Amino acid sequence: MAENSPVPQSQPLTASQVCNNAGGYVWTLDDMDRLRRFLCLGSETGTYYCKAKELGLQNMECIQKLIEDGRGEDVVKEILEYSLEGRTAKQDPILVALVQCARCEHVKVKQQAYEAMPKICRIPTTLFQFVEFVEKIQGGFGTGWGRAQKRAISRWYNEKNPRQLAYAVTKYRNRNGWTHRDILRLGHVKPKDEVTGLVLKYVVKGWKELDKSVKEDEEHSDSFKEVLTFLKDAETARLSTDQTEVIALVEKHQFAWEHLPTQFLKSVDVWKALLQSMPMTAMIRNLGKLTSIELLKPLTEETALVCERLRDENRLRKARVHPIHILAALYQYKKGKGHKGKLSWTPVQTICDALDDAFYKTFKFVEPTGKRFLLALDVSGSMSCSGVNGIENIMAREASAAMAMVTMRTEQNHYIMAFCDHLVDAGINSKMRLDEVIRTVNSLNMGGTDCALPMIHARKKKIPVDVFIVYTDNETWFGDVHPSQALRDYRKAMKIDAKLIVAGMSATSFSIADPADKGMLDIAGFDSNCPDLIRNFALNLV
């Protein structure tokens, strides 16, 4: 356990939480639990795939059953809540579930789903995805563009501040083969006021027609003039061949790179202007690009600015950047090469140092769950040579060490063990840095991997645990006792509604979790969504 930390007393299971199953205890799922799993994982089976297959109707059996049982309105409320609170790892399951409700035959459920759509589809990208899913789910039966959908589309455009709407439609012009012009025409959207009408006319008719329709001698509100100027400048920036003009417009309106012609995205001066107002996550994502064009190089003002921002705790907190996200960025940047394409750069050491500092700073922003954790780190030799499926350039050993550090530094009650064919204390603590943790774990190289050992050990030693987490690569083997049975035996012996998460960081698929047990979760691969997924699972939000 954590140094000098008290161990909370076990909390007995209730009859509504568990049922006896072949001598063990299963924390059973109802249809609403299956819905929550689908929203968070993209499947009902208790497995989260970092590289998921395309979702289809076969993934939504629980949703259809809930609608048929008269609980469709509860389904929509759950979808909206999970979206607004950011509980889901990916957006697709949320949208697929919402479309299923929006296209059902139950009038109230349909109405509620379309009312929720503008709140869930907050940016054009998700709006385009929603429309695309509607087209797919129709399966050739109708167009999907009934009155309810048209009203929802109209609200999406009309409920936004006109200035924000202008920014959105000029930044996200098209996705997945859809444009705003397509949607406005199919949805027959009528603007709520003159300023919104200005934006919609720009989308449908283009700038030339809009410019002709605005008479200089007419009186217009300040909001109208502001949006008109923005649209004019966005159009100018989109078509400009003058770099000086583009830079001035970026500085004036804080345009993003999506607003600009492709030929300017190799310009040091243009990126210098973009950097001034670039959000934290976008800046981290573009560090390689900015270095490749030599905007970031030793001793420059821009390099100093980037390093200052990476060490700014307020910026890191507001951006909600997780340590794993920073670690992935650090390893990618140090490699000097992008995931795809020919982009390459020579890493700047001061930026590497700043990313390293940011990694440790972000630990304090991870909110503790208050649960009791037993982490079992696979220390087999393959962990040092198996890459993580979902995060480039990181080995399974490094990712598991980093996640152990997150737990040690944020959760008061933790117990970190190392395992292969037997368990030992990992010999690491919250004061260590990542390189020390990796060296210590590397020195414990043992034999085969048995994922049932943590629960067997905790039951024998009567250690109270709320959440077991096994971090391994692709070695999800077990011995005489299946991990799911070991978990049931532990629950029965300790009277604790314990959970088990098995993260096969290099795996593309495996099956340990009992799909009927909502207290078990498999993670195939490991990406930047996983830390939040693990937290939500520990807190019964998955």
Side-chain angles (χ1 to χ4, degrees):
M1 291 291 172
E3 298 87 354
N4 301 318
S5 60
V7 177
Q9 294 300 309
S10 302
Q11 297 177 354
L13 296 164
T14 65
S16 63
Q17 290 175 318
V18 295
C19 65
N20 190 280
N21 181 22
Y25 281 75
V26 177
W27 198 7
T28 56
L29 292 91
D30 60 21
D31 288 324
M32 192 59 73
D33 293 324
R34 295 183 187 279
L35 168 67
R36 296 183 184 111
R37 277 200 165 179
F38 176 77
L39 296 178
C40 289
L41 309 178
S43 73
E44 300 177 30
T45 62
T47 303
Y48 172 71
Y49 296 97
C50 291
K51 293 185 178 179
K53 296 179 180 179
E54 184 178 357
L55 298 176
L57 287 171
Q58 68 274 15
N59 302 97
M60 301 185 290
E61 293 177 4
C62 63
I63 300 173
Q64 188 60 37
K65 189 172 185 300
L66 285 165
I67 292 173
E68 291 172 355
D69 290 344
R71 302 181 66 190
E73 292 178 71
D74 293 334
V75 171
V76 177
K77 289 178 183 177
E78 203 78 7
I79 293 170
L80 180 59
E81 181 180 336
Y82 270 62
S83 176
L84 295 179
E85 294 186 5
R87 296 183 191 174
T88 60
K90 294 182 174 72
Q91 191 71 9
D92 282 10
I94 286 280
L95 296 175
V96 168
L98 183 65
V99 168
Q100 178 77 347
C101 294
R103 304 309 299 164
C104 75
E105 296 180 356
H106 295 257
V107 177
K108 288 186 178 180
V109 177
K110 179 194 288 279
Q111 289 175 342
Q112 194 170 338
Y114 274 119
E115 286 175 7
M117 187 276 281
K119 299 174 185 176
I120 293 172
C121 301
R122 293 180 284 277
I123 62 173
T125 300
T126 48
L127 173 66
F128 294 145
Q129 282 182 290
F130 177 84
V131 172
E132 179 65 17
F133 285 148
V134 168
E135 295 292 312
K136 287 183 178 180
I137 204 174
Q138 289 302 115
F141 298 99
T143 65
W145 288 88
R147 284 180 294 178
Q149 176 148 320
K150 290 177 180 178
R151 283 195 298 267
I153 294 293
S154 181
R155 284 177 41 240
W156 191 94
Y157 287 95
N158 279 307
E159 289 180 355
K160 286 180 168 49
N161 173 286
R163 173 62 174 75
Q164 294 173 341
L165 179 62
Y167 190 92
V169 300
T170 53
K171 180 180 179 181
Y172 306 96
R173 291 180 179 271
N174 58 78
R175 292 290 189 279
N176 300 326
W178 288 91
T179 67
H180 289 284
R181 187 169 180 265
D182 297 330
I183 292 176
L184 290 174
R185 287 189 165 185
L186 288 168
H188 302 293
V189 178
K190 296 180 180 179
K192 65 176 180 180
D193 55 39
E194 183 185 36
V195 187
T196 301
L198 193 68
V199 179
L200 301 190
K201 189 167 185 177
Y202 167 79
V203 171
V204 176
K205 300 291 187 180
W207 171 254
K208 289 183 179 180
E209 290 297 320
L210 175 64
D211 191 31
K212 288 178 184 178
S213 68
V214 178
K215 298 179 181 179
E216 295 182 2
D217 57 347
E218 288 183 348
E219 288 291 330
H220 295 292
S221 65
D222 291 341
S223 176
F224 185 97
K225 294 175 183 176
E226 179 189 5
V227 171
L228 182 65
T229 299
F230 179 89
L231 293 172
K232 178 182 179 181
D233 289 346
E235 186 71 6
T236 300
R238 185 175 73 89
L239 301 175
S240 180
T241 58
D242 184 340
Q243 179 172 293
T244 303
E245 180 180 51
V246 167
I247 291 172
L249 293 173
V250 168
E251 293 172 345
K252 179 180 178 181
H253 295 291
Q254 297 186 344
F255 285 144
W257 67 265
E258 291 93 339
H259 285 98
L260 309 183
T262 305
Q263 66 265 27
F264 290 118
L265 298 182
K266 295 181 180 180
S267 167
V268 174
D269 291 331
V270 169
W271 278 102
K272 182 177 180 180
L274 290 168
L275 178 62
Q276 304 311 307
S277 58
M278 192 178 291
M280 173 67 79
T281 52
M283 185 189 77
I284 293 172
R285 218 170 31 240
N286 284 291
L287 287 175
K289 172 68 176 180
L290 298 177
T291 306
S292 72
I293 62 173
E294 297 190 347
L295 174 60
L296 300 181
K297 53 187 177 182
L299 305 180
T300 64
E301 291 182 7
E302 289 71 35
T303 297
L305 174 63
V306 167
C307 292
E308 179 184 351
R309 289 181 179 176
L310 287 172
R311 293 187 171 98
D312 187 326
E313 293 189 2
N314 288 330
R315 286 179 179 269
L316 291 169
R317 182 186 293 106
K318 289 178 181 178
R320 299 179 64 187
V321 183
H322 193 275
I324 284 291
H325 183 83
I326 295 291
L327 187 66
L330 172 59
Y331 277 69
Q332 182 68 55
Y333 185 74
K334 287 168 67 175
K335 184 180 182 182
K337 185 179 179 181
H339 296 322
K340 300 177 182 178
K342 299 179 180 179
L343 186 67
S344 62
W345 59 88
T346 301
V348 178
Q349 186 58 46
T350 51
I351 293 177
C352 294
D353 294 341
L355 283 167
D356 187 65
D357 289 344
F359 172 68
Y360 292 99
K361 284 179 182 290
T362 51
F363 283 110
K364 65 181 69 174
F365 309 138
V366 179
E367 295 183 10
T369 65
K371 302 294 183 180
R372 299 164 294 192
F373 287 85
L374 191 156
L375 270 59
L377 309 184
D378 182 357
V379 292
S380 60
S382 61
M383 290 287 285
S384 295
C385 54
S386 297
V388 174
N389 178 25
I391 304 178
E392 297 288 334
N393 307 310
I394 295 183
M395 296 293 108
R397 172 88 76 227
E398 297 158 342
S400 64
M403 288 303 297
M405 289 183 67
V406 172
T407 300
M408 288 189 293
R409 294 196 180 200
T410 59
E411 299 291 350
Q412 183 181 16
N413 299 297
H414 60 261
Y415 186 19
I416 315 295
M417 304 199 76
F419 82 103
C420 273
D421 51 0
H422 64 283
L423 278 169
V424 298
D425 189 287
I428 58 180
N429 60 66
S430 60
K431 306 299 181 184
M432 289 181 170
R433 292 178 64 85
L434 181 60
D435 55 348
E436 295 178 89
V437 173
I438 293 173
R439 281 199 303 271
T440 302
V441 175
N442 265 333
S443 69
L444 299 173
N445 195 353
M446 297 186 282
T449 305
D450 187 347
C451 293
L453 287 177
M455 287 73 69
I456 294 172
H457 173 81
R459 178 171 59 84
K460 287 181 179 178
K461 298 296 183 180
K462 299 188 184 304
I463 301 171
V465 179
D466 295 314
V467 184
F468 293 92
I469 306 180
V470 175
Y471 289 113
T472 180
D473 51 358
N474 203 19
E475 299 295 328
T476 52
W477 176 86
F478 50 88
D480 295 333
V481 181
H482 193 284
S484 62
Q485 185 60 49
L487 180 66
R488 293 171 195 146
D489 293 343
Y490 176 84
R491 289 170 177 166
K492 183 177 181 181
M494 295 294 292
K495 301 296 188 292
I496 300 174
D497 54 343
K499 297 183 175 184
L500 170 63
I501 301 170
V502 178
M505 293 181 157
S506 303
T508 54
S509 66
F510 67 91
S511 180
I512 283 183
D514 180 349
D517 190 332
K518 76 174 185 178
M520 300 186 67
L521 172 65
D522 291 338
I523 299 177
F526 203 84
D527 61 20
S528 58
N529 295 311
C530 289
D532 284 340
L533 181 63
I534 289 170
R535 170 184 165 76
N536 288 338
F537 186 75
L539 292 173
N540 298 333
L541 300 176
V542 176

